Amino acid sequence: MSYVLNDGPRNVAPSTRERVLAAISDLGYRPNAVARSLRSSRTTTLGLVVPDNANPFFAELAREIEDVAFEHGHTLLLANARDDDEREVAQVRTLLDRQVDGLILIPSHGPGAWRAELAHARIPCLVVDREIEGTNAVQVLVDNEGGAARAVRHLIGHGRTRIGCVAGPDGFHPTVDRVNGWRRALSEGGLDPAAVPVEHAPFGRAEAYRAGRRLLASRRDVDALFVTSDEQAIGVLRAAAELGVAVPDDLAVFSFDGVALSAYAVPSLSTMRQPFEALGRTAVEMLLARRDPREEAPGAPPERIVLETELVARGSCGCADPAGGDHGIEPPDTGTASGDGAGGAS
């Protein structure tokens, strides 16, 4: 039977194969995956640790990772850190104890105690969406700074000159890069970043709602906001509505991430869409192709893959709001200023 199930080296007569398969079907036989993994030293499982699986960004990214893992014959074990460093380390240890063939980690707060776990892991490990120093794990990232700069240039193209920022946690790598992109685009457009306010808040709707109320209720006038995540932007839209600030007439809003929910905000959110499918595919396929980390050259720098974002222009920035809410995608940035203006503004 094993030669039929495992396509063994011995030739099996077609009639014999048919009888064996019929008997397997009649008996409801299922191979013992645990025993098979003990023989092969592989479990055909991958582990994924996310900061918060209730956040639409991580939920959509996890779905893409699971789809690609399934395509390659692997089961994905998902662990939720709930934005807690101790729980994150515990989840990493649990997945390593379960003998996963590879581990993908999206850290909650940047470098943490999990680095020591990955350093001693005997399987390939990979970090997504975070640039982390002090680890040899492959890092799959997006161009946060370039994407943010492009979003702000688009707002400038609409004639907005007082573009404030609602940012993520101060000092957090994606936040730093996106804020740097906001500042760079303002400076390149002849605008002073110091003349407009920045409010930092965790990547969530409620916290960004409160930050948006503080910013919009202050005396520092703004005619646009760059918000560093869609989740935050939804909170900002509510704050604007409660304060009687009309979007986009009084205030243009542009965010980052491109989750599906952004198309259904009112008005629909203009956003820099992260390439979810490409992030998931790159992460899984690089993980499966990577060698045992014990075979890596000592001190070799981690490999970094940086993917581009896409500009999705919708109603919140002043562009025409397309029916269906998922249009307006511009080509990837070519590194020039052309195409970053209002293009399609009403």
Side-chain angles (χ1 to χ4, degrees), residues 184-240:
R184 174 161 64 87
L186 290 179
S187 297
E188 291 172 351
L191 305 174
D192 182 9
V196 285
V198 181
E199 282 279 348
H200 287 275
F203 286 116
R205 300 177 200 178
E207 295 85 353
Y209 159 76
R210 289 189 283 271
R213 283 193 66 97
R214 289 194 302 270
L215 190 152
L216 295 174
S218 71
R219 295 182 180 180
R220 301 182 72 183
D221 193 21
V222 294
D223 60 10
L225 285 176
F226 170 64
V227 187
T228 56
S229 76
D230 293 341
E231 277 282 272
Q232 292 175 305
I234 290 170
V236 168
L237 288 179
R238 174 163 181 167

CSV table of all heavy atoms in Angstrom, one decimal, residues 184-240:
chain,number,residue,atom,x,y,z
A,184,ARG,N,9.3,64.6,3.5
A,184,ARG,CA,10.1,64.8,2.3
A,184,ARG,C,9.2,65.4,1.2
A,184,ARG,O,9.7,66.3,0.5
A,184,ARG,CB,10.7,63.4,1.8
A,184,ARG,CG,11.4,63.5,0.5
A,184,ARG,CD,12.4,62.3,0.3
A,184,ARG,NE,11.7,61.0,0.3
A,184,ARG,CZ,11.2,60.4,-0.8
A,184,ARG,NH1,11.2,61.1,-2.0
A,184,ARG,NH2,10.6,59.3,-0.7
A,185,ALA,N,8.0,64.9,1.0
A,185,ALA,CA,7.1,65.4,-0.1
A,185,ALA,C,6.8,66.8,0.2
A,185,ALA,O,6.7,67.6,-0.8
A,185,ALA,CB,5.9,64.5,-0.2
A,186,LEU,N,6.5,67.2,1.5
A,186,LEU,CA,6.2,68.6,1.8
A,186,LEU,C,7.4,69.5,1.4
A,186,LEU,O,7.2,70.5,0.8
A,186,LEU,CB,5.8,68.7,3.2
A,186,LEU,CG,4.5,68.1,3.7
A,186,LEU,CD1,4.3,68.3,5.2
A,186,LEU,CD2,3.3,68.7,2.9
A,187,SER,N,8.6,69.1,1.9
A,187,SER,CA,9.7,69.9,1.6
A,187,SER,C,10.0,70.0,0.1
A,187,SER,O,10.3,71.1,-0.4
A,187,SER,CB,11.0,69.3,2.3
A,187,SER,OG,10.8,69.2,3.7
A,188,GLU,N,9.9,68.9,-0.6
A,188,GLU,CA,10.1,69.0,-2.1
A,188,GLU,C,9.0,69.9,-2.8
A,188,GLU,O,9.3,70.4,-3.8
A,188,GLU,CB,10.0,67.6,-2.7
A,188,GLU,CG,11.2,66.7,-2.3
A,188,GLU,CD,11.1,65.2,-2.7
A,188,GLU,OE1,10.0,64.9,-3.1
A,188,GLU,OE2,12.1,64.5,-2.6
A,189,GLY,N,7.9,70.0,-2.1
A,189,GLY,CA,6.8,70.8,-2.7
A,189,GLY,C,6.9,72.3,-2.2
A,189,GLY,O,6.0,73.0,-2.5
A,190,GLY,N,8.0,72.6,-1.5
A,190,GLY,CA,8.1,74.0,-1.0
A,190,GLY,C,7.3,74.3,0.2
A,190,GLY,O,7.1,75.5,0.5
A,191,LEU,N,6.8,73.3,0.9
A,191,LEU,CA,6.0,73.5,2.1
A,191,LEU,C,6.8,73.1,3.4
A,191,LEU,O,7.7,72.3,3.3
A,191,LEU,CB,4.8,72.6,2.0
A,191,LEU,CG,3.9,72.8,0.8
A,191,LEU,CD1,2.8,71.8,0.7
A,191,LEU,CD2,3.3,74.2,0.7
A,192,ASP,N,6.5,73.7,4.5
A,192,ASP,CA,7.3,73.6,5.7
A,192,ASP,C,6.6,72.5,6.6
A,192,ASP,O,5.5,72.8,7.1
A,192,ASP,CB,7.4,74.9,6.4
A,192,ASP,CG,8.2,74.8,7.7
A,192,ASP,OD1,8.8,73.7,7.9
A,192,ASP,OD2,8.2,75.7,8.5
A,193,PRO,N,7.2,71.3,6.8
A,193,PRO,CA,6.6,70.3,7.6
A,193,PRO,C,6.4,70.8,9.1
A,193,PRO,O,5.4,70.4,9.8
A,193,PRO,CB,7.6,69.1,7.6
A,193,PRO,CG,8.3,69.4,6.3
A,193,PRO,CD,8.4,70.9,6.2
A,194,ALA,N,7.2,71.7,9.6
A,194,ALA,CA,7.1,72.2,10.9
A,194,ALA,C,5.9,73.1,11.1
A,194,ALA,O,5.5,73.4,12.3
A,194,ALA,CB,8.4,72.9,11.3
A,195,ALA,N,5.3,73.5,10.0
A,195,ALA,CA,4.2,74.5,10.1
A,195,ALA,C,2.8,73.8,10.3
A,195,ALA,O,1.8,74.4,10.5
A,195,ALA,CB,4.1,75.4,8.9
A,196,VAL,N,2.8,72.4,10.2
A,196,VAL,CA,1.6,71.7,10.3
A,196,VAL,C,1.7,70.6,11.4
A,196,VAL,O,2.8,70.1,11.7
A,196,VAL,CB,1.2,71.0,8.9
A,196,VAL,CG1,0.7,72.0,8.0
A,196,VAL,CG2,2.4,70.3,8.3
A,197,PRO,N,0.6,70.2,12.0
A,197,PRO,CA,0.7,69.3,13.2
A,197,PRO,C,0.9,67.9,12.8
A,197,PRO,O,0.5,67.4,11.7
A,197,PRO,CB,-0.6,69.6,13.8
A,197,PRO,CG,-1.6,69.9,12.7
A,197,PRO,CD,-0.7,70.7,11.7
A,198,VAL,N,1.5,67.1,13.7
A,198,VAL,CA,1.5,65.6,13.7
A,198,VAL,C,1.0,65.1,15.0
A,198,VAL,O,1.4,65.5,16.0
A,198,VAL,CB,3.0,65.2,13.5
A,198,VAL,CG1,3.0,63.6,13.4
A,198,VAL,CG2,3.7,65.8,12.3
A,199,GLU,N,0.1,64.1,14.9
A,199,GLU,CA,-0.5,63.5,16.0
A,199,GLU,C,-0.1,62.0,15.9
A,199,GLU,O,-0.4,61.4,14.9
A,199,GLU,CB,-2.0,63.6,16.1
A,199,GLU,CG,-2.4,65.0,16.6
A,199,GLU,CD,-2.4,65.1,18.2
A,199,GLU,OE1,-2.2,64.0,18.8
A,199,GLU,OE2,-2.5,66.2,18.7
A,200,HIS,N,0.5,61.4,17.0
A,200,HIS,CA,0.8,60.0,17.0
A,200,HIS,C,-0.2,59.2,17.8
A,200,HIS,O,-0.7,59.7,18.8
A,200,HIS,CB,2.2,59.8,17.6
A,200,HIS,CG,3.3,60.2,16.7
A,200,HIS,ND1,3.9,59.4,15.8
A,200,HIS,CD2,4.0,61.3,16.7
A,200,HIS,CE1,4.9,60.0,15.2
A,200,HIS,NE2,5.0,61.2,15.7
A,201,ALA,N,-0.6,58.1,17.3
A,201,ALA,CA,-1.6,57.2,17.9
A,201,ALA,C,-1.3,55.8,17.5
A,201,ALA,O,-0.7,55.5,16.4
A,201,ALA,CB,-3.0,57.6,17.5
A,202,PRO,N,-1.7,54.8,18.3
A,202,PRO,CA,-1.6,53.4,17.9
A,202,PRO,C,-2.4,53.1,16.6
A,202,PRO,O,-3.3,53.9,16.3
A,202,PRO,CB,-2.2,52.6,19.1
A,202,PRO,CG,-2.1,53.6,20.3
A,202,PRO,CD,-2.2,54.9,19.7
A,203,PHE,N,-2.0,52.0,15.9
A,203,PHE,CA,-2.7,51.7,14.7
A,203,PHE,C,-4.1,51.1,15.0
A,203,PHE,O,-4.3,49.9,14.9
A,203,PHE,CB,-1.8,50.7,13.9
A,203,PHE,CG,-0.6,51.3,13.2
A,203,PHE,CD1,0.6,50.9,13.6
A,203,PHE,CD2,-0.7,52.2,12.2
A,203,PHE,CE1,1.8,51.4,13.0
A,203,PHE,CE2,0.4,52.8,11.7
A,203,PHE,CZ,1.7,52.4,12.0
A,204,GLY,N,-5.0,52.0,15.3
A,204,GLY,CA,-6.4,51.5,15.5
A,204,GLY,C,-7.4,52.6,15.3
A,204,GLY,O,-7.0,53.8,15.3
A,205,ARG,N,-8.6,52.3,15.1
A,205,ARG,CA,-9.7,53.3,14.9
A,205,ARG,C,-9.9,54.2,16.0
A,205,ARG,O,-10.0,55.5,15.9
A,205,ARG,CB,-11.0,52.6,14.5
A,205,ARG,CG,-10.9,51.8,13.2
A,205,ARG,CD,-12.2,51.1,12.9
A,205,ARG,NE,-12.0,49.9,12.1
A,205,ARG,CZ,-12.9,49.1,11.7
A,205,ARG,NH1,-14.2,49.3,12.1
A,205,ARG,NH2,-12.7,48.0,10.9
A,206,ALA,N,-10.1,53.7,17.2
A,206,ALA,CA,-10.5,54.5,18.4
A,206,ALA,C,-9.4,55.5,18.8
A,206,ALA,O,-9.7,56.6,19.0
A,206,ALA,CB,-10.8,53.5,19.6
A,207,GLU,N,-8.2,55.0,18.8
A,207,GLU,CA,-7.1,55.9,19.2
A,207,GLU,C,-6.9,57.0,18.1
A,207,GLU,O,-6.6,58.2,18.4
A,207,GLU,CB,-5.8,55.1,19.3
A,207,GLU,CG,-5.8,54.1,20.5
A,207,GLU,CD,-6.4,52.8,20.1
A,207,GLU,OE1,-6.9,52.7,18.9
A,207,GLU,OE2,-6.4,51.8,20.9
A,208,ALA,N,-7.0,56.7,16.8
A,208,ALA,CA,-6.9,57.7,15.8
A,208,ALA,C,-8.1,58.6,15.8
A,208,ALA,O,-7.9,59.8,15.4
A,208,ALA,CB,-6.7,57.0,14.4
A,209,TYR,N,-9.2,58.1,16.1
A,209,TYR,CA,-10.4,59.0,16.3
A,209,TYR,C,-10.1,60.1,17.3
A,209,TYR,O,-10.3,61.3,17.0
A,209,TYR,CB,-11.6,58.2,16.7
A,209,TYR,CG,-12.7,59.0,17.3
A,209,TYR,CD1,-13.6,59.8,16.5
A,209,TYR,CD2,-12.9,58.9,18.7
A,209,TYR,CE1,-14.6,60.5,17.1
A,209,TYR,CE2,-13.9,59.6,19.3
A,209,TYR,CZ,-14.8,60.4,18.5
A,209,TYR,OH,-15.8,61.1,19.1
A,210,ARG,N,-9.6,59.7,18.4
A,210,ARG,CA,-9.3,60.7,19.5
A,210,ARG,C,-8.1,61.7,19.0
A,210,ARG,O,-8.2,62.9,19.2
A,210,ARG,CB,-8.9,60.0,20.8
A,210,ARG,CG,-10.0,59.3,21.4
A,210,ARG,CD,-9.7,58.8,22.8
A,210,ARG,NE,-8.9,57.6,22.8
A,210,ARG,CZ,-9.4,56.4,22.7
A,210,ARG,NH1,-10.7,56.2,22.8
A,210,ARG,NH2,-8.6,55.3,22.7
A,211,ALA,N,-7.1,61.1,18.3
A,211,ALA,CA,-6.1,62.0,17.8
A,211,ALA,C,-6.6,62.9,16.7
A,211,ALA,O,-6.2,64.1,16.7
A,211,ALA,CB,-4.9,61.1,17.2
A,212,GLY,N,-7.5,62.4,15.9
A,212,GLY,CA,-8.1,63.3,14.9
A,212,GLY,C,-8.9,64.4,15.5
A,212,GLY,O,-8.9,65.6,15.0
A,213,ARG,N,-9.6,64.1,16.5
A,213,ARG,CA,-10.4,65.2,17.2
A,213,ARG,C,-9.5,66.2,17.8
A,213,ARG,O,-9.7,67.4,17.7
A,213,ARG,CB,-11.3,64.6,18.3
A,213,ARG,CG,-12.6,63.9,17.8
A,213,ARG,CD,-13.5,63.6,19.0
A,213,ARG,NE,-14.0,64.9,19.5
A,213,ARG,CZ,-15.2,65.4,19.2
A,213,ARG,NH1,-16.0,64.9,18.3
A,213,ARG,NH2,-15.6,66.6,19.8
A,214,ARG,N,-8.4,65.8,18.4
A,214,ARG,CA,-7.4,66.7,19.0
A,214,ARG,C,-6.9,67.6,17.9
A,214,ARG,O,-6.8,68.9,18.1
A,214,ARG,CB,-6.3,66.0,19.7
A,214,ARG,CG,-6.7,65.3,21.0
A,214,ARG,CD,-5.4,64.9,21.8
A,214,ARG,NE,-4.5,64.0,21.1
A,214,ARG,CZ,-4.6,62.7,21.1
A,214,ARG,NH1,-5.6,62.1,21.8
A,214,ARG,NH2,-3.8,62.0,20.4
A,215,LEU,N,-6.5,67.0,16.8
A,215,LEU,CA,-5.8,67.8,15.7
A,215,LEU,C,-6.8,68.7,15.1
A,215,LEU,O,-6.5,69.9,14.9
A,215,LEU,CB,-5.2,66.8,14.7
A,215,LEU,CG,-4.3,67.4,13.6
A,215,LEU,CD1,-3.3,66.4,13.2
A,215,LEU,CD2,-5.1,67.9,12.4
A,216,LEU,N,-8.0,68.3,14.8
A,216,LEU,CA,-9.0,69.1,14.0
A,216,LEU,C,-9.6,70.2,14.9
A,216,LEU,O,-10.0,71.2,14.4
A,216,LEU,CB,-10.1,68.2,13.4
A,216,LEU,CG,-9.6,67.2,12.4
A,216,LEU,CD1,-10.8,66.3,11.9
A,216,LEU,CD2,-9.0,68.0,11.1
A,217,ALA,N,-9.6,69.9,16.2
A,217,ALA,CA,-10.1,70.9,17.2
A,217,ALA,C,-9.1,72.0,17.6
A,217,ALA,O,-9.4,73.0,18.2
A,217,ALA,CB,-10.7,70.2,18.4
A,218,SER,N,-7.8,71.7,17.2
A,218,SER,CA,-6.8,72.7,17.6
A,218,SER,C,-6.9,73.9,16.7
A,218,SER,O,-7.6,73.9,15.7
A,218,SER,CB,-5.4,72.0,17.4
A,218,SER,OG,-5.1,71.8,16.1
A,219,ARG,N,-6.1,74.9,17.0
A,219,ARG,CA,-6.1,76.1,16.3
A,219,ARG,C,-5.2,76.1,15.0
A,219,ARG,O,-5.1,77.0,14.3
A,219,ARG,CB,-5.7,77.3,17.2
A,219,ARG,CG,-6.7,77.6,18.3
A,219,ARG,CD,-6.3,78.8,19.1
A,219,ARG,NE,-7.3,79.0,20.2
A,219,ARG,CZ,-7.2,80.0,21.1
A,219,ARG,NH1,-6.2,80.8,21.0
A,219,ARG,NH2,-8.1,80.2,22.0
A,220,ARG,N,-4.4,75.0,14.9
A,220,ARG,CA,-3.5,74.9,13.8
A,220,ARG,C,-4.3,74.3,12.6
A,220,ARG,O,-4.6,73.2,12.5
A,220,ARG,CB,-2.4,74.0,14.1
A,220,ARG,CG,-1.6,74.5,15.3
A,220,ARG,CD,-0.4,73.6,15.6
A,220,ARG,NE,0.7,73.7,14.6
A,220,ARG,CZ,1.8,72.9,14.6
A,220,ARG,NH1,2.0,72.1,15.6
A,220,ARG,NH2,2.7,73.1,13.7
A,221,ASP,N,-4.7,75.2,11.7
A,221,ASP,CA,-5.6,74.9,10.6
A,221,ASP,C,-4.9,73.9,9.6
A,221,ASP,O,-3.7,74.0,9.3
A,221,ASP,CB,-6.0,76.1,9.9
A,221,ASP,CG,-7.1,75.9,8.9
A,221,ASP,OD1,-7.8,74.9,9.1
A,221,ASP,OD2,-7.3,76.7,8.0
A,222,VAL,N,-5.6,72.9,9.1
A,222,VAL,CA,-5.1,72.0,8.1
A,222,VAL,C,-6.2,71.9,7.0
A,222,VAL,O,-7.4,72.0,7.3
A,222,VAL,CB,-4.8,70.6,8.6
A,222,VAL,CG1,-3.6,70.7,9.6
A,222,VAL,CG2,-6.0,70.0,9.3
A,223,ASP,N,-5.8,71.7,5.7
A,223,ASP,CA,-6.7,71.4,4.7
A,223,ASP,C,-6.6,70.0,4.1
A,223,ASP,O,-7.3,69.6,3.2
A,223,ASP,CB,-6.6,72.5,3.5
A,223,ASP,CG,-5.2,72.5,2.9
A,223,ASP,OD1,-4.4,71.6,3.1
A,223,ASP,OD2,-5.0,73.4,2.1
A,224,ALA,N,-5.7,69.2,4.7
A,224,ALA,CA,-5.5,67.8,4.3
A,224,ALA,C,-4.8,67.1,5.4
A,224,ALA,O,-4.1,67.7,6.2
A,224,ALA,CB,-4.8,67.7,3.0
A,225,LEU,N,-5.0,65.8,5.4
A,225,LEU,CA,-4.3,64.9,6.4
A,225,LEU,C,-3.8,63.7,5.6
A,225,LEU,O,-4.5,63.0,4.9
A,225,LEU,CB,-5.2,64.4,7.5
A,225,LEU,CG,-5.6,65.4,8.6
A,225,LEU,CD1,-6.6,64.8,9.5
A,225,LEU,CD2,-4.4,65.9,9.3
A,226,PHE,N,-2.5,63.4,5.9
A,226,PHE,CA,-2.0,62.1,5.5
A,226,PHE,C,-2.0,61.2,6.8
A,226,PHE,O,-1.5,61.6,7.8
A,226,PHE,CB,-0.5,62.2,5.0
A,226,PHE,CG,0.1,60.8,4.9
A,226,PHE,CD1,-0.4,59.9,3.9
A,226,PHE,CD2,1.2,60.4,5.6
A,226,PHE,CE1,0.2,58.6,3.8
A,226,PHE,CE2,1.8,59.2,5.5
A,226,PHE,CZ,1.3,58.3,4.6
A,227,VAL,N,-2.7,60.0,6.7
A,227,VAL,CA,-2.9,59.1,7.8
A,227,VAL,C,-2.2,57.8,7.5
A,227,VAL,O,-2.3,57.3,6.4
A,227,VAL,CB,-4.4,58.9,8.1
A,227,VAL,CG1,-4.6,58.1,9.4
A,227,VAL,CG2,-5.2,60.2,8.1
A,228,THR,N,-1.4,57.3,8.5
A,228,THR,CA,-0.5,56.3,8.2
A,228,THR,C,-1.1,54.9,8.1
A,228,THR,O,-0.4,53.9,7.9
A,228,THR,CB,0.7,56.3,9.2
A,228,THR,OG1,0.2,56.2,10.5
A,228,THR,CG2,1.5,57.5,9.0
A,229,SER,N,-2.4,54.7,8.3
A,229,SER,CA,-3.0,53.4,8.1
A,229,SER,C,-4.5,53.6,7.8
A,229,SER,O,-5.1,54.6,8.3
A,229,SER,CB,-2.9,52.5,9.3
A,229,SER,OG,-3.7,52.8,10.3
A,230,ASP,N,-5.2,52.7,7.1
A,230,ASP,CA,-6.6,52.8,6.8
A,230,ASP,C,-7.4,52.7,8.1
A,230,ASP,O,-8.4,53.4,8.2
A,230,ASP,CB,-7.0,51.7,5.9
A,230,ASP,CG,-6.4,51.8,4.5
A,230,ASP,OD1,-6.0,52.9,4.1
A,230,ASP,OD2,-6.4,50.8,3.7
A,231,GLU,N,-7.0,51.8,9.0
A,231,GLU,CA,-7.7,51.7,10.2
A,231,GLU,C,-7.8,53.1,11.0
A,231,GLU,O,-8.8,53.5,11.5
A,231,GLU,CB,-7.1,50.7,11.1
A,231,GLU,CG,-7.4,49.2,10.9
A,231,GLU,CD,-8.8,48.9,11.4
A,231,GLU,OE1,-8.9,48.5,12.6
A,231,GLU,OE2,-9.8,49.0,10.7
A,232,GLN,N,-6.7,53.8,11.0
A,232,GLN,CA,-6.6,55.1,11.6
A,232,GLN,C,-7.5,56.1,10.9
A,232,GLN,O,-8.2,56.9,11.5
A,232,GLN,CB,-5.2,55.6,11.7
A,232,GLN,CG,-4.3,54.8,12.6
A,232,GLN,CD,-2.9,55.3,12.5
A,232,GLN,OE1,-2.3,55.3,11.5
A,232,GLN,NE2,-2.3,55.7,13.7
A,233,ALA,N,-7.4,56.0,9.5
A,233,ALA,CA,-8.2,57.0,8.7
A,233,ALA,C,-9.7,56.9,8.9
A,233,ALA,O,-10.4,57.9,8.9
A,233,ALA,CB,-7.8,56.7,7.2
A,234,ILE,N,-10.2,55.6,9.2
A,234,ILE,CA,-11.6,55.5,9.4
A,234,ILE,C,-12.0,56.2,10.7
A,234,ILE,O,-13.0,56.9,10.8
A,234,ILE,CB,-12.0,54.0,9.5
A,234,ILE,CG1,-11.8,53.4,8.1
A,234,ILE,CG2,-13.4,53.8,10.1
A,234,ILE,CD1,-11.9,51.9,8.0
A,235,GLY,N,-11.1,56.1,11.7
A,235,GLY,CA,-11.3,56.9,13.0
A,235,GLY,C,-11.3,58.4,12.7
A,235,GLY,O,-12.1,59.2,13.3
A,236,VAL,N,-10.4,58.8,11.9
A,236,VAL,CA,-10.3,60.3,11.6
A,236,VAL,C,-11.5,60.8,10.8
A,236,VAL,O,-12.0,61.9,11.1
A,236,VAL,CB,-9.0,60.5,10.7
A,236,VAL,CG1,-9.0,61.9,10.1
A,236,VAL,CG2,-7.7,60.3,11.6
A,237,LEU,N,-12.0,59.9,9.9
A,237,LEU,CA,-13.2,60.3,9.2
A,237,LEU,C,-14.4,60.6,10.1
A,237,LEU,O,-15.2,61.5,10.0
A,237,LEU,CB,-13.6,59.3,8.2
A,237,LEU,CG,-12.7,59.2,6.9
A,237,LEU,CD1,-13.2,58.0,6.0
A,237,LEU,CD2,-12.7,60.5,6.1
A,238,ARG,N,-14.5,59.7,11.2
A,238,ARG,CA,-15.6,59.9,12.1
A,238,ARG,C,-15.4,61.2,12.9
A,238,ARG,O,-16.3,61.9,13.2
A,238,ARG,CB,-15.7,58.7,13.1
A,238,ARG,CG,-16.7,59.0,14.2
A,238,ARG,CD,-17.1,57.7,14.9
A,238,ARG,NE,-18.1,58.1,16.0
A,238,ARG,CZ,-18.8,57.2,16.6
A,238,ARG,NH1,-18.7,55.9,16.3
A,238,ARG,NH2,-19.7,57.6,17.5
A,239,ALA,N,-14.1,61.4,13.3
A,239,ALA,CA,-13.8,62.7,14.1
A,239,ALA,C,-14.2,63.9,13.2
A,239,ALA,O,-14.8,64.9,13.7
A,239,ALA,CB,-12.4,62.7,14.4
A,240,ALA,N,-13.9,63.9,12.0
A,240,ALA,CA,-14.2,65.0,11.1
A,240,ALA,C,-15.7,65.2,11.0
A,240,ALA,O,-16.2,66.3,11.0
A,240,ALA,CB,-13.6,64.8,9.7
